[in-house]
Amino acid sequence: MKKTMAIPTVPENRLLAALPAGEFRTLSPLLERVELVYKKVLYQANDKIRHVYFPESGIISLLSVVDAHNSTEVGIVGNEGMAGLPLFMLVSTSSTLALVQGAGLALRMKAADFKKYAAESASLRAVLLRYMHSLFTQISQSAACNQFHSIDKRLARWLLMTQDRMHSREFQITQDFLSSMLGVRREGVNIAAGALQEKGLICYVRGSMKIKNRKQLERAACSCYKVIKKEYDWKLK
């Protein structure tokens, strides 16, 4: 993991931005700014969590691993959240694989420092508890979506969620990962992506995805997107 710029005075990660300004200044010496490299594994399933990551940009996918050849995405983390949340729940290992699916930057913190600071800071605990609810909503709604909605609607929902976190109309994505994300064979991904492309909603060429018509893509997505989006837009009161 490559270190990059100095710690910002105003964090772009929304969890850290929700902390009182003075508290973030206190926390800053414990953070390091690192690059999130596309397809980089931050930790494997059942690995000990050595760092937590607060993305400023980019996306971290959380994958449930079935065996050496099969996995499916259960959650995505952007600048609204963090990777390594089990540490907050006093669990030192991860049940999921954390994979960088969109390149960007993150503020990283050692596990021991995070656990100590979370134990001492009521403000950080409040922010993390609210985020837990948001993430659990995303995971449970996505599970229901994968069971009951068509592949093309699920793909539209996922692309919208990805754009929300990437803040870009274009991003890299492989057919293999789309297959894992949707829990279907690559043939199903091709059909769903082809249908959206024929309608002029997206352009998908050689691992590069571009959203061409956001409003129409929202109409093509299932209702699960609005449920998850509402949680994504949460504000700590």
Side-chain angles (χ1 to χ4, degrees):
M1 189 67 66
K2 181 181 178 181
K3 295 183 181 181
T4 55
M5 297 169 283
I7 303 300
T9 55
V10 179
E12 295 182 35
N13 178 273
R14 289 168 54 191
L15 292 183
L16 298 179
L19 297 174
E23 185 158 352
F24 178 70
R25 287 194 295 270
T26 301
L27 185 63
S28 292
L30 301 176
L31 299 169
E32 59 178 339
R33 207 175 194 190
V34 297
E35 183 179 2
L36 294 176
V37 180
Y38 180 56
K39 290 189 176 181
K40 174 75 174 181
V41 174
L42 301 182
Y43 43 78
Q44 297 279 357
N46 301 314
D47 272 359
K48 184 175 182 179
I49 301 174
R50 302 187 184 281
H51 296 88
V52 298
Y53 295 82
F54 296 92
E56 298 179 292
S57 57
I59 289 180
I60 299 170
S61 290
L62 305 178
L63 301 168
S64 179
V65 178
V66 179
D67 54 42
H69 305 288
N70 296 285
S71 62
T72 187
E73 184 182 71
V74 295
I76 60 176
V77 179
N79 75 335
E80 86 291 353
M82 64 167 283
L85 192 60
L87 285 176
F88 179 61
M89 297 178 278
L90 306 181
V91 178
S92 61
T93 59
S94 174
S95 61
T96 59
L97 182 153
L99 173 73
V100 176
Q101 190 53 44
L105 297 172
L107 296 176
R108 185 172 73 173
M109 190 176 185
K110 292 179 180 178
D113 290 335
F114 170 77
K115 289 190 291 185
K116 183 175 185 297
Y117 200 91
E120 297 172 349
S121 171
S123 297
L124 182 57
R125 290 197 300 275
V127 169
L128 293 176
L129 285 169
R130 184 59 184 83
Y131 172 61
M132 282 174 59
H133 180 270
S134 176
L135 183 61
F136 289 165
T137 298
Q138 180 197 143
I139 292 172
S140 59
Q141 194 71 34
S142 296
C145 181
N146 290 342
Q147 178 68 29
F148 295 109
H149 293 146
S150 63
I151 298 174
D152 55 338
K153 288 184 178 296
R154 287 153 52 191
L155 176 59
R157 184 258 301 169
W158 187 88
L159 293 174
L160 291 167
M161 291 171 60
T162 299
Q163 186 185 20
D164 288 342
R165 289 156 179 80
M166 289 292 292
H167 306 290
S168 173
R169 295 173 60 193
E170 295 187 55
F171 42 87
Q172 293 174 285
I173 187 72
T174 65
Q175 283 189 335
D176 284 340
F177 187 79
L178 281 174
S179 177
S180 294
M181 179 275 299
L182 293 171
V184 298
R185 296 173 64 87
R186 288 182 61 177
E187 291 81 357
V189 172
N190 290 335
I191 293 171
L196 295 179
Q197 188 157 255
E198 286 181 7
K199 295 176 182 177
L201 308 188
I202 66 171
C203 179
Y204 182 54
V205 181
R206 296 178 182 177
S208 177
M209 179 69 70
K210 180 178 181 180
I211 294 177
K212 298 178 66 176
N213 191 323
R214 166 86 190 197
K215 289 184 178 180
Q216 289 299 322
L217 191 62
E218 288 182 6
R219 293 189 179 99
C222 57
S223 58
C224 296
Y225 171 67
K226 291 183 178 180
V227 175
I228 296 171
K229 180 68 162 59
K230 182 179 179 181
E231 283 298 318
Y232 174 79
D233 290 335
W234 69 272
K235 292 182 180 179
L236 190 68
K237 297 182 179 180

